[in-house]
């Protein structure tokens, strides 16, 4: 039986690699829907012509018209809710590879439709929190982030009660070993030069600030129901060990593979089965050294701040993420310096705690959206003041 996949974010890094997997395994997967923002209509048209989806969802109306003209036999939807419609169509798997918290409503729509959710859009889980975990059935969400895919694989080695700690690895980004003073003069070009991964600009900057690791700690807590005091992060520059699980008897199980997202994407599509030849394995005929270092939380405060907002839960993670997204855009536009990203985010998070915070017990989607809107507007006020 062929598994129907709705792919959200099809022209992005995750989406294009997912289509590699689908094309190489056409006997197992077909494309039911493609969703994209519309920034690259020519690429999207090529994907539609190659994979013949039932539905195409495009946020940008002009790009949607271009797809309609090039592919008249395919249903094309446009507008900000188009991706939600694609997620809700009832495909066997919805792979959410969108960037940012805009992925929350498609995530909820996929869960409501009963589709298995292969989740690469960590922000939707982080900002949605209990809204997502309560909507998901057992085993309905399969993580696609390399770290959480690694944890899911390692967790097969024992029961929940046998887990002592989750250990996420971080590459350290381009500024590993830099002091707080050195980070003051970082340029966007330097921050975008990631040493091991090829990602979009927002994720790449988040990796450089370690915000990405902070979001992943929140994500790990929500996915695996492990307390924050039992989730750690270590710097591993080689990006070969993607994460580890320490068990109560002292054993640590690690998942290792070369830095290539095809493997966790394939596992997300095929879970719990593995797809042969998804990614090249480690070459054990060559000498190699794997290093691990503690995080420098003084120079990189993102993980500390993320732990605090994760423990507060409610609307706090949404404010953290939204403010960070605006600060990243401001940094790339030259409005603020690299170190000001986290200083501004922490200011916004602290203000929200004092007024407007909504706890988990009464959280709604409208609360999350309102908190995000406030955080973006308040961040802009600070950015515009320079």
């Amino acid at each position: 039986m062929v598994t129907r996949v709705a792919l959200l974010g099809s022209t992005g890094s995750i989406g294009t690699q997912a289509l590699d997997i689908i094309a190489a395994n056409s006997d197992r997967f077909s494309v039911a829907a493609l969703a994209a923002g519309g920034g690259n209509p020519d690429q999207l048209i090529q994907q539609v012509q190659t994979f013949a989806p039932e539905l195409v969802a495009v946020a940008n109306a002009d790009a949607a018209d271009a797809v309609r003209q090039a592919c008249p036999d395919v249903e094309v939807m446009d507008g900000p809710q188009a991706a939600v419609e694609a997620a809700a169509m009832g495909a066997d798997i919805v792979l959410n590879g969108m960037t940012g918290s805009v992925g929350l409503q498609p995530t909820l729509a996929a869960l409501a439709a009963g589709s298995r959710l292969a989740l690469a859009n960590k922000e939707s889980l982080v900002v949605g929190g209990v809204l997502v975990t309560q909507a998901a059935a057992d085993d309905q969400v399969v993580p696609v982030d390399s770290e959480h895919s690694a944890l899911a694989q390692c967790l097969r080695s024992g029961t929940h009660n046998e887990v002592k700690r989750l250990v996420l690895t971080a590459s350290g980004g381009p500024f590993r070993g830099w002091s707080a003073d050195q980070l003051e003069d970082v340029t966007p070009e330097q921050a975008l030069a990631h040493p091991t991964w090829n990602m979009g600009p927002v994720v790449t900057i988040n990796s450089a600030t370690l915000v990405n690791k902070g979001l992943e700690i929140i994500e790990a807590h929500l996915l695996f129901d492990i307390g924050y005091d039992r989730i750690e992060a270590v710097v591993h520059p080689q990006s070969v060990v993607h994460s580890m699980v320490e068990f109560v008897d002292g054993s640590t199980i690690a998942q290792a593979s070369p830095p290539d997202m095809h493997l966790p994407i394939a596992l997300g599509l095929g879970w719990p089965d593995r797809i042969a030849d998804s990614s090249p394995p480690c070459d054990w005929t060559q000498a190699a050294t794997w290093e691990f270092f503690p995080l420098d939380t003084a120079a990189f405060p993102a993980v500390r701040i993320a732990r605090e907002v994760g423990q507060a839960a409610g609307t706090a993670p949404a404010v953290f993420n939204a403010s960070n997204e605006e600060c990243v855009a401001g940094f790339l536009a030259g409005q603020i310096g690299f170190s000001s990203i986290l200083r501004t985010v922490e200011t916004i998070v602290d203000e929200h705690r004092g007024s407007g915070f909504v706890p988990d017990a009464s959280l709604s989607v409208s609360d999350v959206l309102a908190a995000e809107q406030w955080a973006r507007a308040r961040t802009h006020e600070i950015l515009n003041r320079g």
Side-chain angles (χ1 to χ4, degrees):
M1 180 177 176
V2 176
T3 299
R4 297 166 62 249
V5 180
L7 178 54
L8 314 184
S10 68
T11 58
S13 174
I14 296 295
T16 55
Q17 292 177 85
L19 290 173
D20 291 341
I21 300 294
I22 292 170
N25 296 274
S26 58
D27 58 326
R28 295 184 60 170
F29 303 105
S30 66
V31 176
L34 294 173
N40 194 337
D42 290 340
Q43 183 183 18
L44 180 59
I45 288 168
Q46 185 177 35
Q47 291 176 346
V48 174
Q49 292 172 340
T50 300
F51 292 94
E54 304 163 27
L55 173 67
V56 180
V58 192
N60 181 279
D62 291 338
D65 286 339
V67 176
R68 289 188 184 99
Q69 291 178 7
C71 310
D73 296 329
V74 177
E75 180 183 0
V76 180
M77 302 184 65
D78 62 69
Q81 292 297 303
V84 178
E85 296 296 330
M89 72 178 297
D92 298 309
I93 298 172
V94 175
L95 173 53
N96 190 345
M98 301 172 73
T99 298
S101 59
V102 67
L104 172 59
Q105 289 180 302
T107 281
L108 293 173
L111 295 175
S115 301
R116 190 171 77 215
L117 177 65
L119 187 62
N121 173 244
K122 67 172 65 67
E123 294 91 346
S124 62
L125 178 58
V126 169
V127 306
V130 295
L131 300 176
V132 176
T133 57
Q134 291 176 357
D138 290 344
D139 300 322
Q140 189 178 3
V141 179
V142 179
V144 172
D145 274 348
S146 62
E147 295 84 358
H148 302 86
S149 176
L151 291 172
Q153 294 174 68
C154 295
L155 285 167
R156 291 182 174 185
S157 298
T159 67
H160 189 275
N161 291 336
E162 292 174 325
V163 175
K164 185 174 183 180
R165 288 194 307 165
L166 307 181
V167 183
L168 289 86
T169 56
S171 69
F175 308 125
R176 179 176 61 87
W178 288 38
S179 68
D181 288 342
Q182 289 175 303
L183 293 172
E184 291 289 341
D185 299 321
V186 161
T187 67
E189 291 74 21
Q190 288 174 306
L192 288 168
H194 197 281
T196 52
W197 292 100
N198 180 18
M199 305 171 290
V202 175
V203 179
T204 303
I205 299 299
N206 284 350
S207 179
T209 60
L210 291 188
V211 163
N212 214 39
K213 207 53 51 182
L215 294 174
E216 288 169 3
I217 285 176
I218 298 173
E219 184 182 8
H221 165 74
L222 293 167
L223 282 171
F224 304 117
D225 191 27
I226 299 292
Y228 285 102
D229 60 334
R230 296 162 57 204
I231 305 174
E232 304 293 341
V234 299
V235 174
H236 169 51
Q238 291 76 29
S239 298
V240 176
V241 174
H242 297 288
S243 280
M244 301 170 276
V245 176
E246 180 184 321
F247 292 93
V248 293
D249 61 354
S251 176
T252 297
I253 305 296
Q255 188 270 324
S257 58
D260 182 339
M261 283 301 296
H262 285 89
L263 191 151
I265 292 169
L267 199 57
L269 292 173
W271 187 266
D273 300 324
R274 297 183 182 273
I275 297 175
D277 303 317
S278 299
S279 177
C282 295
D283 183 355
W284 302 110
T285 67
Q286 301 296 316
T289 299
W290 298 346
E291 301 171 292
F292 300 91
F293 303 93
L295 290 179
D296 182 352
T297 55
F300 299 93
V303 169
R304 171 185 60 79
I305 301 170
R307 283 185 188 278
E308 293 170 1
V309 300
Q311 288 168 331
T315 49
V319 167
F320 172 77
N321 182 72
S323 180
N324 176 70
E325 288 181 359
E326 299 304 319
C327 286
V328 168
F331 168 65
L332 292 173
Q335 283 185 284
I336 58 171
F338 183 81
S339 297
S340 293
I341 295 174
L342 267 300
R343 283 198 289 264
T344 304
V345 169
E346 189 163 24
T347 295
I348 299 298
V349 166
D350 288 344
E351 285 187 16
H352 181 63
R353 284 179 184 147
S355 176
F357 172 74
V358 178
D360 272 354
S362 55
L363 190 67
S364 67
V365 172
S366 61
D367 291 327
V368 172
L369 298 178
E372 284 194 325
Q373 184 178 15
W374 172 84
R376 294 183 193 280
R378 181 71 183 107
T379 302
H380 275 286
E381 290 179 10
I382 294 177
L383 296 184
N384 290 335
R385 291 205 308 261

